[in-house]
Amino acid sequence: MVETESIETCGFGVPPLIIAGPCSAESEEQLITVARALRESGRVHLFRSGVWKPRSRPGTFAGEGLKALEWLRVVKAETGLPVAVEVASPAHVEASLNSGIDVLWLGTRTVSNPFSVDEIASALRGTDIPVMIKNPLAPDVELWMGAIERIHASGIKKIAAVLRGFTPYGTSRYRNIPKWEIAIELRRRMPLLPVICDPSHMSGKAELVPDAAQKALDMNMKGLMIEVHSDPAKALSDREQQLTPDDFSKMLDNLVFRSESCDDEGFLSQLEDLRSQIDSIDYQIIDLIAQRMKISNLMGEYKCKNSVTVFQLDRWIEILRTRADYGESLGLERNFIESLLQYLHDESIKCQREVMKKLCDDTNSF
Ligand code: PEP
Ligand code: MN
């Protein structure tokens, strides 16, 4: 079991942790302008900025490296904000530690490569700097956990995971598909690990960031990492997704921060009541599915005896249409009902085929 520290003791601040700053450090002036504005907002725990940029294509802005680490030193001294950078190699780790960087993060491309993560983990040995670990490019919870375990095994206990979404195939509304279920699974497997969200890389568009951030808070994520640039239109990387400091403050004003639980007696008993209704309905649904499956088995036998195929297209089309119509009349989404039926139908076909196979085997054995 990976025993990470809670977010409160990670030196990250009191949750929800708010991390903000530009995608890339472009100049000392740009960093100071953004950092001052964020400092004034009074709501930022940690200033982020990439100094080595892992770009998908060569020939694009790759970051200012060591020079930018010096600018971050100035930012820290001027604003008092702790600073975080992305590291992708042992040399990055060493330079960041030497420059007094407070928090490191592993980017999504690096997390996708266990060799790189191992090398970074070795470079971290003997330090206790907090490390944030973004999700890998593919929705592979094992790969994400593997990176966390590798860093943890090097002695780092202050770890947070960052959900930034997964590469889509083709076009999608969000630049990266959120797949909240992967973060939920990570939290189920590593209950002590704080998981935060990066709505900027997830959505890829400034106008979608507030909605993604609210969704992250509603999913009980322990913090937000938001890209903020003084002049997003001129940014050297991730131009479309960065917020101005003003828009960032407006977004924070409008976000609803709800608590995970509430001690109010009335609320708790009402919640208990609603939960027991859900429990009861879930068991009824499972009972009905079991009954449906028994009938499927009988149909398998019947079809087998009459040499009829398991699958009949007309019947399936009729099931889909009638159930989706009915669901819609009750206010349910057609897509949702169709996906649900697809699951049931797949299972039903599987059962019928097993019944047929068994009957055939029995017949052949005489
Ligand atoms: C970044 O944070 O600027 C970045 C490159 O993020 P990711 O690794 O999520 O693409
Ligand atoms: Mn970026």
Side-chain angles (χ1 to χ4, degrees), residues 220-237:
N220 198 14
M221 297 268 161
K222 296 285 180 253
L224 301 171
M225 183 193 268
I226 310 278
E227 284 191 342
V228 181
H229 193 290
S230 43
D231 190 355
K234 296 212 178 94
L236 299 181
S237 59

Side-chain angles (χ1 to χ4, degrees), residues 46-291:
L46 186 60
F47 183 78
R48 65 142 281 156
S49 174
V51 305
W52 298 283
K53 299 305 298 178
R55 308 311 301 276
S56 297
R57 307 285 304 273
T60 45
F61 180 65
E64 296 287 356
L66 299 182
K67 198 161 52 163
L69 287 179
E70 284 310 308
W71 303 335
L72 283 169
R73 222 193 258 279
V74 179
V75 163
K76 197 173 151 178
E78 275 231 4
T79 64
L81 282 173
V83 292
V85 299
E86 173 175 350
V87 289
S89 71
H92 295 170
V93 172
E94 199 190 328
S96 304
L97 293 172
N98 290 340
S99 299
I101 298 294
D102 300 283
V103 175
L104 304 176
W105 86 82
L106 270 60
T108 200
R109 291 157 189 81
T110 308
V111 172
S112 304
N113 181 351
F115 291 124
S116 304
V117 178
D118 268 337
E119 285 175 9
I120 293 170
S122 303
L124 286 168
R125 199 165 281 286
T127 74
D128 70 344
I129 189 163
V131 179
M132 301 186 287
I133 302 177
K134 292 210 181 185
N135 65 253
L137 291 162
D140 180 346
V141 77
E142 295 276 318
L143 193 56
W144 197 2
M145 281 179 73
I148 295 163
E149 285 162 345
R150 286 182 160 93
I151 298 298
H152 185 263
S154 76
I156 300 288
K157 299 288 175 278
K158 296 170 178 172
I159 299 178
V162 186
L163 178 73
R164 51 77 81 191
F166 302 89
T167 310
Y169 178 71
T171 51
S172 75
R173 187 170 111 90
Y174 274 8
R175 178 180 176 192
N176 292 295
I177 302 171
K179 289 202 167 285
W180 303 100
E181 67 277 17
I182 301 273
I184 292 172
E185 179 57 14
L186 183 72
R187 279 155 68 180
R188 191 185 67 77
R189 295 195 196 185
M190 297 180 156
L192 297 175
L193 177 76
V195 184
I196 66 177
C197 179
D198 171 349
S200 302
H201 289 88
M202 184 179 273
S203 67
K205 285 195 192 62
E207 66 271 23
L208 298 178
V209 170
D211 194 45
Q214 184 64 59
K215 171 84 192 212
L217 294 177
D218 294 342
M219 298 298 288
N220 198 14
M221 297 268 161
K222 296 285 180 253
L224 301 171
M225 183 193 268
I226 310 278
E227 284 191 342
V228 181
H229 193 290
S230 43
D231 190 355
K234 296 212 178 94
L236 299 181
S237 59
D238 288 348
R239 196 168 287 173
E240 289 182 15
Q241 71 195 28
Q242 303 202 57
L243 301 181
T244 61
D246 269 0
D247 286 343
F248 169 75
S249 286
K250 272 187 211 130
M251 179 184 79
L252 284 185
D253 286 342
N254 291 324
L255 285 176
V256 184
F257 293 84
R258 300 182 174 91
S259 58
E260 187 176 354
S261 61
C262 161
D263 294 337
D264 182 79
E265 282 291 315
F267 166 80
L268 289 176
S269 79
Q270 180 89 8
L271 185 67
E272 211 37 56
D273 197 36
L274 293 170
R275 281 186 173 155
S276 56
Q277 289 182 49
I278 293 271
D279 290 349
S280 157
I281 290 172
D282 282 351
Y283 284 104
Q284 291 177 61
I285 292 173
I286 294 168
D287 285 343
L288 286 171
I289 292 174
Q291 281 178 40

